[in-house]
Amino acid sequence: MCGIIGYVGEREMAPLLINGLKKLEYRGYDSYGFCIKDGDRFHVLKKKGRISEDESPLKKIQGNFGIAHTRWATHGKPTEINSHPHFDCKKEISIVHNGIIENAEQLRKMLEKEKHVFVSETDSEVIAHLIEKFYVNSLEMAVKKAISLLDGSFALAIICKNEDCILAVKRGSPLVLGVGKNENFIASDVVPIIEYTKKIIYLKDEEIAKITKEGIEIKNSKGKIIDKKIAEIKWNIKQAEKGKFKHFMIKEIFEQPEVIKNVLRGRIKDNKIKLTLDINFKKINRIILTACGTSWHSCLIAKTLIEKYAQIPVEVDYASEFRYRNPLVSKNDLLIAVSQSGETADTLAAIREGKKKGAKTLGIINVVGSTISREVDSGIYLYSGPETGVASTKAFTSQIMALFLFALYARQEKKCKIDPRLINEIKKLPEKIEESLGEVKKIKSIAKKFVDSSNFLYFGRGINYPVALEGALKLKEISYIHAEGYPAAEMKHGPIALIDGNMPSVFIATHSKTFSKLISNIEEVKARGGKIISIVNKEDKIARKCSDFAINVPRTIEDLSAIVNVIPLQLLSYFIADMRGLDVDKPRNLAKSVTVE
Ligand code: M6R
């Protein structure tokens, strides 16, 4: 993971890099560091912890040419020494790295034999020493030779005392270049540079960019100068800020009515689904959905929807498993990757594996221009704006919506009718989410009662079983409370043994074809003294009666209910984590974008 930023231009360097790193902290925040070039001197600062915790020493650093890094530790503990930038022996070459060098140990041994002295435990430091080894009088040549020896993934920004440029190069990890007037930028993604420029170049693997104040020169792997397309970013900095909200997570939860409108905008007209996908459904025998974390939960929901509406068999696979199990894939398979960031390393590798085996590929992606979005044959963007809280919220609901549209589109392509009542119900979703959000006060008071719980169980059935999984994931990742999600009927096969007076159980108990069965499960928990929090429809009397706490959501059709029902679960975990005094947006050990295996 890790975040990189680099700048060359006329602005004051330190505030720009500080600001940029704060925006990249969602990629990792174990430690941070800067190297600012001032004539032929390097000003270096490296610290353990988050940038916001102590930034005053940085403000004193002068210079207008530099690189910076926020770290998510892989090789070596989060210490000052292990933080980036890393240097060669003579401290003339400085690098920041995002990715993992898999042959770092062999390279380190080779370099140590050549008298290179290492100071950190990181894999990244070998890169600086390799560049030193090959440096004669051209940084670019030295970098080319160095990266030819690297196995693994990297996005690198490199500076050297003898040259007035930043070099950027990548393999497998993301890197974008921002084009300004008398200034240019490098970053892991557009968020830290969007307030300065909306003109972005997406660097491809093995391309090398030389960035100076005056311009950006990019060469392909053969050393030929190439003309790259400059993309224009449509969203603005306001969308990437917290505004009146205490945390990004709560802001993003409340954005969901708007986000659903965005994902639907222009995609439904006269009862028809308008998507531009290069897919011949007559030739698709099977769909494989692949993703990680919350996005994987969206895939589980989509399986039910696609099989029902498009009548195509669907398999769901964790991307991290799919990529390594030598899956049977044919050219009649459609592989769909679902990813908010579009950068998740496992999901990217799964797509590459599927492509290699001849499958057609489709991406359901939020971040425009991200690596996965550029590698798939066709895609559906979520247009949800930046999601900054590590806990995914608005991406989840918009992914389900996009996948629902896809299921209906496939149905339409197979010349089957779409019930207009379904379209009507879809259009009502933004206001129904708004209604779910209206329970915020009640949810806060319930959170207060359970803030000291050590464990939680979540139960749901059918389309709401993945919602139970998602509720449990949300709670554990930001509140550090152990939580598990189960299909409610599985309770009697084991989890029921956990029920006692200290075990809260959250039931998604809205209208469904298995409603009466789920009520029996609630009764079984109640009979064993468990505490019950239920998500119920407003008009419901039955589930409400057997629950200790009931949270209202408006009724919709069962197939759409996941989008409405997950809202109270997001709020519940948010308030519990906040009441426990935790850093909701940046939970320990996690990062927003998981670009390592
Ligand atoms: O960017 P992606 O959707 O590919 O990310 C996948 C997971 O890393 C992500 O959903 C993760 O599980 C979230 N922290 C969950 O809130």
Side-chain angles (χ1 to χ4, degrees), residues 214-236:
E214 290 75 27
I216 298 177
E217 180 190 272
I218 301 174
K219 289 187 181 162
N220 65 15
S221 57
K222 295 191 180 99
K224 192 169 165 260
I225 297 181
I226 47 170
D227 246 352
K228 295 271 294 183
K229 197 175 141 215
I230 300 181
E232 191 85 25
I233 297 298
K234 297 274 187 305
W235 47 272
N236 58 40

PDB file of all heavy atoms in Angstrom, residues 214-236:
ATOM      1  N   GLU A 214       9.316  22.404 -15.996  1.00  0.00           N
ATOM      2  CA  GLU A 214       8.873  22.804 -17.336  1.00  0.00           C
ATOM      3  C   GLU A 214       8.003  21.753 -18.023  1.00  0.00           C
ATOM      4  O   GLU A 214       7.213  22.093 -18.905  1.00  0.00           O
ATOM      5  CB  GLU A 214      10.084  23.090 -18.244  1.00  0.00           C
ATOM      6  CG  GLU A 214      10.874  24.345 -17.879  1.00  0.00           C
ATOM      7  CD  GLU A 214      11.746  24.154 -16.646  1.00  0.00           C
ATOM      8  OE1 GLU A 214      12.134  22.998 -16.394  1.00  0.00           O
ATOM      9  OE2 GLU A 214      12.000  25.134 -15.925  1.00  0.00           O
ATOM     10  N   GLY A 215       8.166  20.510 -17.677  1.00  0.00           N
ATOM     11  CA  GLY A 215       7.381  19.519 -18.420  1.00  0.00           C
ATOM     12  C   GLY A 215       7.594  18.093 -17.949  1.00  0.00           C
ATOM     13  O   GLY A 215       8.339  17.831 -17.002  1.00  0.00           O
ATOM     14  N   ILE A 216       6.885  17.182 -18.631  1.00  0.00           N
ATOM     15  CA  ILE A 216       6.983  15.753 -18.300  1.00  0.00           C
ATOM     16  C   ILE A 216       7.350  15.006 -19.577  1.00  0.00           C
ATOM     17  O   ILE A 216       6.658  15.145 -20.597  1.00  0.00           O
ATOM     18  CB  ILE A 216       5.628  15.226 -17.764  1.00  0.00           C
ATOM     19  CG1 ILE A 216       5.238  15.962 -16.481  1.00  0.00           C
ATOM     20  CG2 ILE A 216       5.686  13.718 -17.526  1.00  0.00           C
ATOM     21  CD1 ILE A 216       3.884  15.573 -15.908  1.00  0.00           C
ATOM     22  N   GLU A 217       8.422  14.255 -19.503  1.00  0.00           N
ATOM     23  CA  GLU A 217       8.810  13.445 -20.672  1.00  0.00           C
ATOM     24  C   GLU A 217       8.634  11.974 -20.302  1.00  0.00           C
ATOM     25  O   GLU A 217       9.147  11.526 -19.283  1.00  0.00           O
ATOM     26  CB  GLU A 217      10.271  13.728 -21.010  1.00  0.00           C
ATOM     27  CG  GLU A 217      10.775  12.934 -22.198  1.00  0.00           C
ATOM     28  CD  GLU A 217      12.293  13.052 -22.343  1.00  0.00           C
ATOM     29  OE1 GLU A 217      12.752  13.987 -23.010  1.00  0.00           O
ATOM     30  OE2 GLU A 217      12.997  12.197 -21.761  1.00  0.00           O
ATOM     31  N   ILE A 218       7.875  11.246 -21.143  1.00  0.00           N
ATOM     32  CA  ILE A 218       7.622   9.837 -20.804  1.00  0.00           C
ATOM     33  C   ILE A 218       8.192   8.939 -21.899  1.00  0.00           C
ATOM     34  O   ILE A 218       7.984   9.192 -23.094  1.00  0.00           O
ATOM     35  CB  ILE A 218       6.107   9.577 -20.641  1.00  0.00           C
ATOM     36  CG1 ILE A 218       5.564  10.494 -19.541  1.00  0.00           C
ATOM     37  CG2 ILE A 218       5.841   8.108 -20.284  1.00  0.00           C
ATOM     38  CD1 ILE A 218       4.078  10.466 -19.369  1.00  0.00           C
ATOM     39  N   LYS A 219       8.922   7.915 -21.479  1.00  0.00           N
ATOM     40  CA  LYS A 219       9.468   6.947 -22.441  1.00  0.00           C
ATOM     41  C   LYS A 219       8.859   5.579 -22.175  1.00  0.00           C
ATOM     42  O   LYS A 219       8.600   5.234 -21.007  1.00  0.00           O
ATOM     43  CB  LYS A 219      10.987   6.859 -22.273  1.00  0.00           C
ATOM     44  CG  LYS A 219      11.711   8.116 -22.759  1.00  0.00           C
ATOM     45  CD  LYS A 219      13.207   7.905 -22.732  1.00  0.00           C
ATOM     46  CE  LYS A 219      13.928   9.148 -23.182  1.00  0.00           C
ATOM     47  NZ  LYS A 219      15.339   9.135 -22.779  1.00  0.00           N
ATOM     48  N   ASN A 220       8.654   4.818 -23.247  1.00  0.00           N
ATOM     49  CA  ASN A 220       8.171   3.453 -23.040  1.00  0.00           C
ATOM     50  C   ASN A 220       9.337   2.532 -22.682  1.00  0.00           C
ATOM     51  O   ASN A 220      10.489   2.981 -22.614  1.00  0.00           O
ATOM     52  CB  ASN A 220       7.372   2.954 -24.251  1.00  0.00           C
ATOM     53  CG  ASN A 220       8.230   2.821 -25.495  1.00  0.00           C
ATOM     54  OD1 ASN A 220       9.456   2.830 -25.418  1.00  0.00           O
ATOM     55  ND2 ASN A 220       7.584   2.707 -26.635  1.00  0.00           N
ATOM     56  N   SER A 221       9.036   1.240 -22.505  1.00  0.00           N
ATOM     57  CA  SER A 221      10.076   0.330 -22.010  1.00  0.00           C
ATOM     58  C   SER A 221      11.237   0.200 -23.007  1.00  0.00           C
ATOM     59  O   SER A 221      12.334  -0.197 -22.652  1.00  0.00           O
ATOM     60  CB  SER A 221       9.474  -1.046 -21.726  1.00  0.00           C
ATOM     61  OG  SER A 221       8.873  -1.513 -22.905  1.00  0.00           O
ATOM     62  N   LYS A 222      10.983   0.580 -24.285  1.00  0.00           N
ATOM     63  CA  LYS A 222      12.065   0.486 -25.288  1.00  0.00           C
ATOM     64  C   LYS A 222      12.887   1.771 -25.344  1.00  0.00           C
ATOM     65  O   LYS A 222      13.773   1.919 -26.181  1.00  0.00           O
ATOM     66  CB  LYS A 222      11.462   0.180 -26.648  1.00  0.00           C
ATOM     67  CG  LYS A 222      10.800  -1.184 -26.689  1.00  0.00           C
ATOM     68  CD  LYS A 222      10.441  -1.583 -28.105  1.00  0.00           C
ATOM     69  CE  LYS A 222       9.794  -2.934 -28.094  1.00  0.00           C
ATOM     70  NZ  LYS A 222       8.344  -2.872 -28.165  1.00  0.00           N
ATOM     71  N   GLY A 223      12.532   2.736 -24.506  1.00  0.00           N
ATOM     72  CA  GLY A 223      13.307   3.977 -24.462  1.00  0.00           C
ATOM     73  C   GLY A 223      12.822   5.021 -25.451  1.00  0.00           C
ATOM     74  O   GLY A 223      13.454   6.062 -25.640  1.00  0.00           O
ATOM     75  N   LYS A 224      11.655   4.773 -26.085  1.00  0.00           N
ATOM     76  CA  LYS A 224      11.134   5.726 -27.075  1.00  0.00           C
ATOM     77  C   LYS A 224      10.227   6.750 -26.376  1.00  0.00           C
ATOM     78  O   LYS A 224       9.360   6.364 -25.577  1.00  0.00           O
ATOM     79  CB  LYS A 224      10.331   4.920 -28.111  1.00  0.00           C
ATOM     80  CG  LYS A 224       9.974   5.722 -29.325  1.00  0.00           C
ATOM     81  CD  LYS A 224       9.414   4.812 -30.426  1.00  0.00           C
ATOM     82  CE  LYS A 224       8.733   5.651 -31.462  1.00  0.00           C
ATOM     83  NZ  LYS A 224       7.324   5.727 -31.386  1.00  0.00           N
ATOM     84  N   ILE A 225      10.415   8.037 -26.692  1.00  0.00           N
ATOM     85  CA  ILE A 225       9.543   9.073 -26.102  1.00  0.00           C
ATOM     86  C   ILE A 225       8.132   8.895 -26.655  1.00  0.00           C
ATOM     87  O   ILE A 225       7.941   8.741 -27.865  1.00  0.00           O
ATOM     88  CB  ILE A 225      10.061  10.490 -26.421  1.00  0.00           C
ATOM     89  CG1 ILE A 225      11.449  10.677 -25.779  1.00  0.00           C
ATOM     90  CG2 ILE A 225       9.087  11.565 -25.944  1.00  0.00           C
ATOM     91  CD1 ILE A 225      12.085  12.020 -25.978  1.00  0.00           C
ATOM     92  N   ILE A 226       7.135   8.903 -25.750  1.00  0.00           N
ATOM     93  CA  ILE A 226       5.757   8.686 -26.215  1.00  0.00           C
ATOM     94  C   ILE A 226       4.857   9.849 -25.797  1.00  0.00           C
ATOM     95  O   ILE A 226       5.134  10.537 -24.810  1.00  0.00           O
ATOM     96  CB  ILE A 226       5.169   7.351 -25.677  1.00  0.00           C
ATOM     97  CG1 ILE A 226       5.434   7.212 -24.156  1.00  0.00           C
ATOM     98  CG2 ILE A 226       5.700   6.161 -26.414  1.00  0.00           C
ATOM     99  CD1 ILE A 226       4.695   6.074 -23.516  1.00  0.00           C
ATOM    100  N   ASP A 227       3.795  10.037 -26.568  1.00  0.00           N
ATOM    101  CA  ASP A 227       2.784  11.055 -26.270  1.00  0.00           C
ATOM    102  C   ASP A 227       1.682  10.398 -25.475  1.00  0.00           C
ATOM    103  O   ASP A 227       1.060   9.458 -25.961  1.00  0.00           O
ATOM    104  CB  ASP A 227       2.187  11.546 -27.594  1.00  0.00           C
ATOM    105  CG  ASP A 227       2.529  12.988 -27.830  1.00  0.00           C
ATOM    106  OD1 ASP A 227       3.072  13.602 -26.910  1.00  0.00           O
ATOM    107  OD2 ASP A 227       2.246  13.481 -28.952  1.00  0.00           O
ATOM    108  N   LYS A 228       1.422  10.856 -24.265  1.00  0.00           N
ATOM    109  CA  LYS A 228       0.376  10.204 -23.466  1.00  0.00           C
ATOM    110  C   LYS A 228      -0.853  11.109 -23.418  1.00  0.00           C
ATOM    111  O   LYS A 228      -0.734  12.332 -23.356  1.00  0.00           O
ATOM    112  CB  LYS A 228       0.871   9.973 -22.027  1.00  0.00           C
ATOM    113  CG  LYS A 228       2.016   9.016 -21.913  1.00  0.00           C
ATOM    114  CD  LYS A 228       1.587   7.581 -21.760  1.00  0.00           C
ATOM    115  CE  LYS A 228       0.863   7.289 -20.477  1.00  0.00           C
ATOM    116  NZ  LYS A 228       0.524   5.860 -20.358  1.00  0.00           N
ATOM    117  N   LYS A 229      -2.014  10.456 -23.378  1.00  0.00           N
ATOM    118  CA  LYS A 229      -3.268  11.204 -23.275  1.00  0.00           C
ATOM    119  C   LYS A 229      -3.348  11.890 -21.893  1.00  0.00           C
ATOM    120  O   LYS A 229      -3.011  11.276 -20.878  1.00  0.00           O
ATOM    121  CB  LYS A 229      -4.413  10.194 -23.417  1.00  0.00           C
ATOM    122  CG  LYS A 229      -5.728  10.830 -23.738  1.00  0.00           C
ATOM    123  CD  LYS A 229      -6.782   9.774 -23.985  1.00  0.00           C
ATOM    124  CE  LYS A 229      -8.063  10.260 -23.367  1.00  0.00           C
ATOM    125  NZ  LYS A 229      -8.899   9.276 -22.805  1.00  0.00           N
ATOM    126  N   ILE A 230      -3.790  13.128 -21.878  1.00  0.00           N
ATOM    127  CA  ILE A 230      -4.009  13.800 -20.591  1.00  0.00           C
ATOM    128  C   ILE A 230      -5.503  13.720 -20.271  1.00  0.00           C
ATOM    129  O   ILE A 230      -6.338  14.209 -21.031  1.00  0.00           O
ATOM    130  CB  ILE A 230      -3.544  15.274 -20.631  1.00  0.00           C
ATOM    131  CG1 ILE A 230      -2.045  15.327 -20.961  1.00  0.00           C
ATOM    132  CG2 ILE A 230      -3.848  15.984 -19.303  1.00  0.00           C
ATOM    133  CD1 ILE A 230      -1.452  16.718 -21.018  1.00  0.00           C
ATOM    134  N   ALA A 231      -5.826  13.082 -19.139  1.00  0.00           N
ATOM    135  CA  ALA A 231      -7.247  12.937 -18.758  1.00  0.00           C
ATOM    136  C   ALA A 231      -7.657  14.130 -17.897  1.00  0.00           C
ATOM    137  O   ALA A 231      -6.830  14.710 -17.184  1.00  0.00           O
ATOM    138  CB  ALA A 231      -7.436  11.641 -18.000  1.00  0.00           C
ATOM    139  N   GLU A 232      -8.922  14.499 -17.979  1.00  0.00           N
ATOM    140  CA  GLU A 232      -9.451  15.613 -17.182  1.00  0.00           C
ATOM    141  C   GLU A 232     -10.303  15.032 -16.053  1.00  0.00           C
ATOM    142  O   GLU A 232     -11.262  14.298 -16.316  1.00  0.00           O
ATOM    143  CB  GLU A 232     -10.303  16.500 -18.101  1.00  0.00           C
ATOM    144  CG  GLU A 232     -10.721  17.819 -17.529  1.00  0.00           C
ATOM    145  CD  GLU A 232      -9.659  18.920 -17.710  1.00  0.00           C
ATOM    146  OE1 GLU A 232      -8.840  18.817 -18.651  1.00  0.00           O
ATOM    147  OE2 GLU A 232      -9.673  19.856 -16.907  1.00  0.00           O
ATOM    148  N   ILE A 233      -9.962  15.339 -14.799  1.00  0.00           N
ATOM    149  CA  ILE A 233     -10.744  14.813 -13.664  1.00  0.00           C
ATOM    150  C   ILE A 233     -11.984  15.673 -13.473  1.00  0.00           C
ATOM    151  O   ILE A 233     -11.907  16.908 -13.464  1.00  0.00           O
ATOM    152  CB  ILE A 233      -9.878  14.802 -12.377  1.00  0.00           C
ATOM    153  CG1 ILE A 233      -8.693  13.869 -12.550  1.00  0.00           C
ATOM    154  CG2 ILE A 233     -10.687  14.415 -11.150  1.00  0.00           C
ATOM    155  CD1 ILE A 233      -9.035  12.422 -12.791  1.00  0.00           C
ATOM    156  N   LYS A 234     -13.125  15.004 -13.287  1.00  0.00           N
ATOM    157  CA  LYS A 234     -14.397  15.745 -13.245  1.00  0.00           C
ATOM    158  C   LYS A 234     -14.780  16.196 -11.832  1.00  0.00           C
ATOM    159  O   LYS A 234     -15.474  17.175 -11.659  1.00  0.00           O
ATOM    160  CB  LYS A 234     -15.530  14.881 -13.824  1.00  0.00           C
ATOM    161  CG  LYS A 234     -15.333  14.526 -15.291  1.00  0.00           C
ATOM    162  CD  LYS A 234     -15.885  15.615 -16.190  1.00  0.00           C
ATOM    163  CE  LYS A 234     -15.871  15.276 -17.657  1.00  0.00           C
ATOM    164  NZ  LYS A 234     -14.624  14.880 -18.256  1.00  0.00           N
ATOM    165  N   TRP A 235     -14.381  15.472 -10.804  1.00  0.00           N
ATOM    166  CA  TRP A 235     -14.849  15.839  -9.463  1.00  0.00           C
ATOM    167  C   TRP A 235     -13.909  16.850  -8.822  1.00  0.00           C
ATOM    168  O   TRP A 235     -12.809  17.095  -9.305  1.00  0.00           O
ATOM    169  CB  TRP A 235     -15.083  14.620  -8.577  1.00  0.00           C
ATOM    170  CG  TRP A 235     -14.004  13.601  -8.564  1.00  0.00           C
ATOM    171  CD1 TRP A 235     -13.869  12.551  -9.419  1.00  0.00           C
ATOM    172  CD2 TRP A 235     -12.903  13.509  -7.657  1.00  0.00           C
ATOM    173  NE1 TRP A 235     -12.762  11.812  -9.092  1.00  0.00           N
ATOM    174  CE2 TRP A 235     -12.153  12.384  -8.021  1.00  0.00           C
ATOM    175  CE3 TRP A 235     -12.483  14.267  -6.568  1.00  0.00           C
ATOM    176  CZ2 TRP A 235     -11.007  11.996  -7.340  1.00  0.00           C
ATOM    177  CZ3 TRP A 235     -11.347  13.888  -5.876  1.00  0.00           C
ATOM    178  CH2 TRP A 235     -10.625  12.779  -6.274  1.00  0.00           C
ATOM    179  N   ASN A 236     -14.381  17.465  -7.724  1.00  0.00           N
ATOM    180  CA  ASN A 236     -13.574  18.544  -7.152  1.00  0.00           C
ATOM    181  C   ASN A 236     -13.155  18.237  -5.724  1.00  0.00           C
ATOM    182  O   ASN A 236     -13.592  17.259  -5.119  1.00  0.00           O
ATOM    183  CB  ASN A 236     -14.337  19.874  -7.218  1.00  0.00           C
ATOM    184  CG  ASN A 236     -15.658  19.759  -6.492  1.00  0.00           C
ATOM    185  OD1 ASN A 236     -15.748  19.153  -5.439  1.00  0.00           O
ATOM    186  ND2 ASN A 236     -16.701  20.315  -7.077  1.00  0.00           N
TER     187      ASN A 236
END
